[in-house]
Amino acid sequence: MKTSVARLLAAGLALSLLGVACSDDDPAAEGDEATTTTAAGGSGSSAGDEAATPLDPERATAAATTYADLVFTAYDDTVTAATELQEAVDTFVAAPDEAGLDAAKQAWLDARDVYGPTEVFRFYDGPIDDPEDGPEGQINAWPMDEAYVDYVEDDPDAGIINDAEGTPEITAEGIVEANEAGGETNISTGWHAIEFLLWGQDLSDDGPGARPVTDYTDSPVAERRGAYLSALAELLVADLTSVRDEWDPEGGAYREDFLADPDQAVTNILRGMGALSAGELGGERILVAYDTQDQEDEHSCFSDNTTADVVGNARGILVAYTADWPGVEGTSLSEVVAEVAPELDTALRTSLDETVAAAEALEPPFDQLLTDDSGREAVRTLGEDLQAQGDVIADLAARLGYEISLDI
């Protein structure tokens, strides 16, 4: 994948056009965020200038409680899906064949669909991206220099897997220690490391990577590659479980703190929605890729799953507001906003529905959209609409008397 320098240049160019801050998924890069209400892209909305209409404590508590239930349930479903991925990986590694590789790939795709919406639970230093010990950089760091982990087209001996002298034994502890060591693209853990070990490099113009099953049967490092893949899957389940447990209604430590200050809790909900919409998804993941037209800038570049990632993130922003998730009951933030500022609730609900529909309408693969004229227009429009949606969220926060930043 591209170097970090190239990425920074590309991001800088895009953001100079779009007026949006940009960063990767590393929580360490998010610790110095501004905390004032901002509106990326400058919608010109005047809602923030109107007199604040604060939520009363009962409404804020109701919305925060339902959101906490949503977060726990969504992460619990993600742990279940990731565990199924781990089982598929272990089955494949134990007896590698084409059917097992296909099953592991499908399990990754299925689990990724469940995980995508949960990315809206970031950006406020909660359990997933706590600057001190949040595992987000271990779970979903991106972009990834795949040569850090395994062979690539021009370097058959690249990566930790081929370096038996430098890394005599493949262990979860060693993989964690190596993550981002020496550079932000030195990603050794998480969703995209698993993706790379299942699909391999994407060298096709119109399809995903095509790693041969012989990498796990006939290669001199087949056993090390299988051990690495199994360790990654086990680590992913453990990290997601640790995050879920912080939100557990039966004693989750972070949940208790979150609900102790309902106004701050609602601020955090809106902060997560706005930052994902305007900065991370609209800017980093869509408009930077639109600007560079580089296949390496798509989020899930090995599997060509990027359009599904976009849909999952867009749905997550909607779900954080409506709490519409199987098994979740209670009063959503949308419902309490509708009672105090119905025009803003309607505006945001309309925007959320439209951006989800536009994301679902994208025709994969994402890298081909970046070079096709009609595809590029759809990508650009969606990115800009997501940034404008961030403005709507910022306006809503200001109307409720909260201060948020859309920066990432």
Side-chain angles (χ1 to χ4, degrees):
M1 296 192 71
K2 68 199 311 176
T3 66
S4 58
V5 173
R7 179 168 190 77
L8 289 172
L9 290 173
L13 175 60
L15 298 182
S16 70
L17 297 172
L18 305 169
V20 178
C22 166
S23 74
D24 63 16
D25 285 3
D26 183 354
E30 299 161 2
D32 297 327
E33 296 156 352
T35 55
T36 56
T37 299
T38 60
S43 68
S45 170
S46 59
D49 298 329
E50 297 181 11
T53 307
L55 295 178
D56 59 54
E58 290 75 17
R59 286 191 173 99
T61 297
T65 302
T66 302
Y67 174 87
D69 292 344
L70 165 69
V71 178
F72 174 75
T73 304
Y75 276 131
D76 191 48
D77 291 345
T78 305
V79 169
T80 298
T83 301
E84 292 172 355
L85 167 61
Q86 182 186 4
E87 293 169 353
V89 163
D90 288 345
T91 298
F92 166 64
V93 170
D97 59 16
E98 290 285 359
L101 181 58
D102 289 344
K105 288 178 178 177
Q106 189 58 54
W108 187 94
L109 294 170
D110 293 344
R112 188 74 181 166
D113 284 346
V114 184
Y115 173 78
T118 71
E119 292 206 76
V120 76
F121 308 141
R122 297 174 49 200
F123 307 108
Y124 51 82
D125 297 346
I128 183 70
D129 55 3
D130 185 308
E132 298 297 325
D133 57 5
E136 205 280 336
Q138 219 165 265
I139 291 174
N140 195 42
W142 162 86
M144 172 187 175
D145 177 1
E146 58 265 50
Y148 186 61
V149 170
D150 200 359
Y151 77 89
V152 291
E153 183 181 30
D154 298 327
D155 191 348
D157 298 320
I160 296 170
I161 288 172
N162 290 287
D163 185 14
E165 182 175 346
T167 308
E169 184 179 3
I170 300 293
T171 65
E173 293 77 12
I175 292 171
V176 169
E177 186 176 351
N179 194 45
E180 298 191 47
E184 65 178 3
T185 63
N186 288 345
I187 306 303
S188 62
T189 66
W191 287 108
H192 300 297
I194 298 173
E195 179 193 10
F196 173 53
L197 288 186
L198 292 176
W199 274 272
Q201 274 186 296
D202 180 5
L203 303 175
S204 169
D205 289 335
D206 56 4
R211 182 183 290 278
V213 72
T214 50
D215 278 3
Y216 291 91
T217 55
D218 299 341
S219 165
V221 293
E223 187 173 341
R224 285 173 58 85
R225 186 171 288 115
Y228 197 118
L229 180 59
S230 288
L232 286 175
E234 181 181 4
L235 181 63
L236 180 66
V237 172
D239 284 338
L240 290 169
T241 300
S242 71
V243 174
R244 179 202 62 185
D245 290 350
E246 288 288 322
W247 289 95
D248 193 334
E250 302 296 328
Y254 183 81
R255 177 190 172 101
E256 183 176 343
D257 292 342
F258 182 81
L259 294 178
D261 187 343
D263 282 327
Q264 185 60 52
V266 175
T267 303
N268 289 347
I269 297 170
L270 293 168
R271 157 71 181 155
M273 293 171 57
L276 179 59
S277 184
E280 185 71 29
L281 182 57
E284 172 81 354
R285 298 184 181 180
I286 292 181
L287 289 174
V288 168
Y290 169 84
D291 183 68
T292 65
Q293 299 185 53
D294 190 338
Q295 186 182 51
E296 298 289 336
D297 271 322
E298 63 169 326
H299 195 199
S300 292
C301 65
F302 309 117
S303 62
D304 274 350
N305 193 55
T306 302
T307 53
D309 290 342
V310 170
V311 171
N313 289 169
R315 286 177 178 164
I317 302 165
L318 170 64
V319 167
Y321 191 58
T322 64
D324 184 13
W325 189 279
V328 176
E329 298 179 352
T331 303
S332 70
L333 180 56
S334 174
E335 289 175 295
V336 299
V337 170
E339 294 174 353
V340 300
E343 75 284 6
L344 291 182
D345 176 67
T346 298
L348 181 53
R349 287 292 298 267
T350 299
S351 177
L352 292 167
D353 289 340
E354 289 178 350
T355 51
V356 169
E360 291 174 337
L362 293 178
E363 290 288 342
F366 187 78
D367 52 6
Q368 294 304 303
L369 292 174
L370 299 179
T371 57
D372 173 78
D373 286 344
S374 62
R376 283 182 57 77
E377 177 63 18
V379 168
R380 182 188 63 79
T381 300
L382 176 57
E384 293 177 350
D385 286 349
L386 285 163
Q387 293 198 317
Q389 180 170 275
D391 294 344
V392 176
I393 295 168
D395 286 345
L396 171 59
R399 178 69 172 272
L400 298 179
Y402 303 125
E403 294 185 345
I404 67 168
S405 168
L406 303 182
D407 294 343
I408 58 173

